Amino acid sequence: SLIHSGGLRSKISHKSLMIAEHFGFPSRFAMLAGSTASASLKVQWSDLQAKPVMKSSVLLLCFVMFGSLIVKPVFAQHCSHEGADYSALRAKDGCYKAHAETADFWMNICDNAKCSGIPDSCTQKGPAVAYQNVLKNTSSGEYECFAVGKLETGEWNSLVDGHGSKTDSVVYKGDDQREIMYLMVCDPGLEVHVEIIGVAEQRRTTIAWKSMYGCRDDDDDGLGIWSIIFIILLVGLVLYCGIGAFYKRRNLGVSGVELIPNIEVWREVPGHFKSMADWSVNKVRHTFFPSGYQPLR
C-alpha cells in the first residue's frame, strides 16, 4: 500500500540523514533516499522477486543476523565458563606484565599475548597466552624464555572452597611441560588486577585475576545470554517447521519436502546467492579493474 503523509516524510528524511551521517555517506545522498522513500513506500515480495540482487541481499542479511547469534557463542566459549563471561579481561594493549623473583611474565587471557616489550626470544617460541622469561644465570644476567601457555590448550574448571563458593579457573599448557593457571578472584570494586600467587618448581605458575568479573552467583544455572538466545531460536525453528508442516499437510494435502514452510522461497535461495555473488564480482571488477569498453546491454 502507498503511504502519503507529511509527518512520515519528515521522519523518513531525518532518519535517512542520521543513517547517512553514521556510515559516512554524503548528506545529499541521504536526502535523495529520504525523499524517494517518503514519496511512496511499497513493501511487496513481488518487488524483491523482480530484483534478484535486492532479494538476495535481504536473504543474506537475515542469514547473517541469525548466523551471528549462533556463531558468536561458539567463539565466546573460549572466554566464558558456566555462564560467566571473562572476555572483558582481555588486555586492551595486548598483554599484562608481571614480575616474580627470578622471572618476568607477559600474559593475556582468552587471547595471545602480543605487545611491545616482549623479548624476541619469547616471540620466537610462537603465539602463546603467556611467556615466562626465566633468569638462567644470575652472574651473567642470561634469561631463557618459555611459552608457558598455548591458547588452544585452555581448560576451564570451577573450584569450590569449604564455604561452597565457586572460583573459576583456566589452565593453559605450554612448552617443556610448563603451564599457567589463572584464578578468577572476586573483587567487586576492581576492574582488573593481575597478581602472581606462586611459581611452583618453575613449572606451574598460578596467577590471581582479581576483578569484578570474578564475582558470580553460586546459584547460577549456567545459562548465559547467548545460550538463552540460541535456545529461543532453536525452539522458534522447531515451531516454524512443525506448525508449517502441519498446516500444509492438513489444508493442502502435500507430503515429503513440500511440507517445508515457504518451500518456494528456500528453493530460490541458492540462485539468489549466485546472482548476488555475480553482481558483487562484476561490481568489484568494474570498480577496481576498469576496462576500455562497456558491455552491451
Side-chain angles (χ1 to χ4, degrees):
S1 59
L2 296 179
I3 303 175
H4 298 281
S5 171
L8 180 61
R9 284 196 297 268
S10 177
K11 291 180 180 179
I12 292 175
S13 299
H14 178 67
K15 191 67 174 178
S16 301
L17 184 58
M18 291 176 61
I19 295 174
E21 290 177 349
H22 177 73
F23 288 99
F25 291 113
S27 58
R28 61 179 181 274
F29 174 82
M31 296 305 296
L32 177 61
S35 61
T36 302
S38 61
S40 62
L41 292 176
K42 181 178 289 187
V43 182
Q44 292 184 0
W45 186 253
S46 58
D47 291 344
L48 296 179
Q49 288 179 322
K51 302 175 181 179
V53 173
M54 184 182 298
K55 184 177 179 181
S56 302
S57 301
V58 172
L59 291 173
L60 179 61
L61 179 61
C62 294
F63 276 105
V64 170
M65 291 175 61
F66 284 103
S68 63
L69 295 178
I70 297 174
V71 172
K72 186 170 182 178
V74 174
F75 287 100
Q77 290 176 1
H78 292 295
C79 208
S80 63
H81 181 60
E82 295 184 353
D85 185 10
Y86 298 106
S87 58
L89 292 177
R90 287 190 178 99
K92 294 179 175 59
D93 60 351
C95 75
Y96 297 93
K97 184 177 180 179
H99 177 73
E101 185 177 352
T102 58
D104 292 321
F105 292 86
W106 291 268
M107 68 196 81
N108 204 346
I109 183 171
C110 307
D111 200 358
N112 290 320
K114 41 195 174 186
C115 62
S116 59
I118 301 179
D120 293 338
S121 57
C122 295
T123 56
Q124 290 173 359
K125 300 291 184 178
V129 171
Y131 296 103
Q132 180 184 18
N133 204 24
V134 181
L135 181 59
K136 189 176 181 180
N137 191 319
T138 55
S139 58
S140 63
E142 180 184 357
Y143 282 83
E144 183 177 6
C145 191
F146 298 91
V148 294
K150 297 291 187 179
L151 182 61
E152 62 274 11
T153 65
E155 182 178 347
W156 288 88
N157 290 288
S158 292
L159 307 178
V160 183
D161 61 17
H163 302 286
S165 298
K166 288 184 179 180
T167 300
D168 290 339
S169 69
V170 58
V171 176
Y172 296 100
K173 297 181 180 180
D175 298 337
D176 196 26
Q177 298 181 344
R178 295 173 186 266
E179 58 186 33
I180 189 167
M181 181 174 71
Y182 297 155
L183 294 177
M184 305 295 110
V185 180
C186 173
D187 192 330
L190 193 62
E191 180 72 19
V192 60
H193 174 71
V194 181
E195 179 181 328
I196 296 178
I197 296 179
V199 182
E201 300 179 355
Q202 301 296 325
R203 295 291 180 181
R204 180 167 186 164
T205 304
T206 303
I207 307 290
W209 292 70
K210 298 180 180 180
S211 73
M212 64 181 71
Y213 305 103
C215 304
R216 52 176 300 169
D217 184 1
D218 294 335
D219 297 327
D220 187 5
D221 60 3
L223 288 179
I225 181 63
W226 290 109
S227 299
I228 296 174
I229 292 176
F230 177 75
I231 293 174
I232 293 175
L233 289 176
L234 184 61
V235 172
L237 179 63
V238 172
L239 292 176
Y240 167 75
C241 294
I243 296 176
F246 176 78
Y247 173 83
K248 295 184 72 174
R249 180 63 178 266
R250 183 172 182 177
N251 295 275
L252 303 179
V254 298
S255 61
V257 295
E258 296 298 329
L259 289 172
I260 299 176
N262 306 111
I263 183 63
E264 298 81 5
V265 175
W266 299 117
R267 280 173 173 164
E268 296 175 358
V269 168
H272 295 317
F273 279 133
K274 182 179 182 302
S275 299
M276 184 174 58
D278 293 340
W279 180 85
S280 301
V281 170
N282 291 331
K283 191 69 174 178
V284 172
R285 182 182 300 167
H286 292 310
T287 302
F288 297 98
F289 307 99
S291 59
Y293 61 92
Q294 295 292 332
L296 297 177
R297 297 183 182 274

